[in-house]
Amino acid sequence: MSSITDAVILMAGTGSRLRVDGNAFLKPLVPVGGRPLISYPIDALVRHGVRRIVAVIGFEGSNLAAAIRPLVPDHIELSFVENPQWKKQNGISLLTAESAMDRPFFLTMSDHIFEDEILEKLTREASHDLLHVSVDRKINSIFDLADATKVQTDQANGISAIGKDLGEFNAIDTGLFLCPTTIFSYLKRAAAGGDCGLTDAVRLMGIDRKVRCVDIGEGWWQDVDTPEMLQQAEKILAHRSQIAGVR
């Protein structure tokens, strides 16, 4: 497959779990290591060669869009798709981007930080008709394992089960995907009852053997969903910056 140049970033929710007081705030703009949280996935995608980013907004959408535009390099085509049903699950947010996507694309969340090499691994494994899910098999290194989305992979690196409450699992979903456009038909099936999460579509694609798990190896990532996760991300980013400065 040729290089992946399109990406979708989901950022429609309120980020209520990260809020430490009653004040309204925009989660993608929360400072992490002295930078807005959203700048980490944006910068990683741009460094990897992505030239078009579709951001799905909802809560305080116009204010968020205005704040994000200056964070994106001028040569990147940035567009915003509004999800009026932003109180629903993230599968509904991704569905709102369907008309904007006509080729395989990266998918991530605005509150995930990840190393560039994870994108590289996804691209090397790419097959246009499969959903590629980056997974972490370093179970013991996961911060807040209870909150993580667990994955049970099969011998062919497909998915036999996925969910936060799995009793048996051998990997963790990192929240970074390489998606075929067929994911939208599975999202529609999953949303037949009016709502769905991305995990529901992944589960359906797994049943049809349309999912391939890509092990991130020693790669690092962090979901920033709670104050504790934010603290952990800042701690590791500071450590990595210190190491880089020594080299």
Side-chain angles (χ1 to χ4, degrees), residues 163-224:
K164 287 185 179 290
D165 300 321
L166 292 187
E168 295 184 8
F169 56 94
N170 55 15
I172 299 299
D173 169 11
T174 72
L176 180 59
F177 309 84
L178 176 52
C179 303
T181 56
T182 51
I183 192 172
F184 294 111
S185 63
Y186 285 92
L187 284 165
K188 290 173 184 176
R189 284 172 53 188
D195 197 1
C196 76
L198 178 60
T199 296
D200 298 316
V202 175
R203 189 176 295 114
L204 291 175
M205 295 185 77
I207 291 172
D208 285 352
R209 305 195 68 77
K210 294 294 185 179
V211 178
R212 176 179 294 163
C213 294
V214 179
D215 186 356
I216 69 170
E218 295 304 311
W220 175 76
W221 66 285
Q222 179 64 56
D223 180 9
V224 182

Side-chain angles (χ1 to χ4, degrees), residues 104-215:
F105 59 95
F106 290 116
L107 169 66
T108 189
M109 319 299 148
S110 65
D111 57 359
H112 283 225
I113 302 173
F114 47 84
E115 286 185 312
D116 294 11
E117 67 181 72
I118 301 178
L119 289 167
E120 293 166 6
K121 286 178 179 289
L122 280 173
T123 303
R124 287 199 299 268
E125 296 283 340
S127 172
H128 78 279
D129 61 339
L130 296 177
L131 170 66
H132 295 77
V133 181
S134 59
V135 300
D136 192 347
R137 297 189 186 276
K138 305 185 298 295
I139 305 296
N140 293 333
S141 71
I142 302 300
F143 185 82
D144 197 353
L145 181 60
D147 188 65
T149 298
K150 289 85 173 173
V151 174
Q152 183 67 37
T153 64
D154 58 29
Q155 292 183 342
N157 284 326
I159 281 184
S160 57
I162 182 171
K164 287 185 179 290
D165 300 321
L166 292 187
E168 295 184 8
F169 56 94
N170 55 15
I172 299 299
D173 169 11
T174 72
L176 180 59
F177 309 84
L178 176 52
C179 303
T181 56
T182 51
I183 192 172
F184 294 111
S185 63
Y186 285 92
L187 284 165
K188 290 173 184 176
R189 284 172 53 188
D195 197 1
C196 76
L198 178 60
T199 296
D200 298 316
V202 175
R203 189 176 295 114
L204 291 175
M205 295 185 77
I207 291 172
D208 285 352
R209 305 195 68 77
K210 294 294 185 179
V211 178
R212 176 179 294 163
C213 294
V214 179
D215 186 356

Side-chain angles (χ1 to χ4, degrees), residues 224-238:
V224 182
D225 206 31
T226 65
E228 294 77 18
M229 290 178 179
L230 172 58
Q231 187 177 44
Q232 174 71 3
E234 292 197 310
K235 175 182 175 182
I236 293 184
L237 285 169

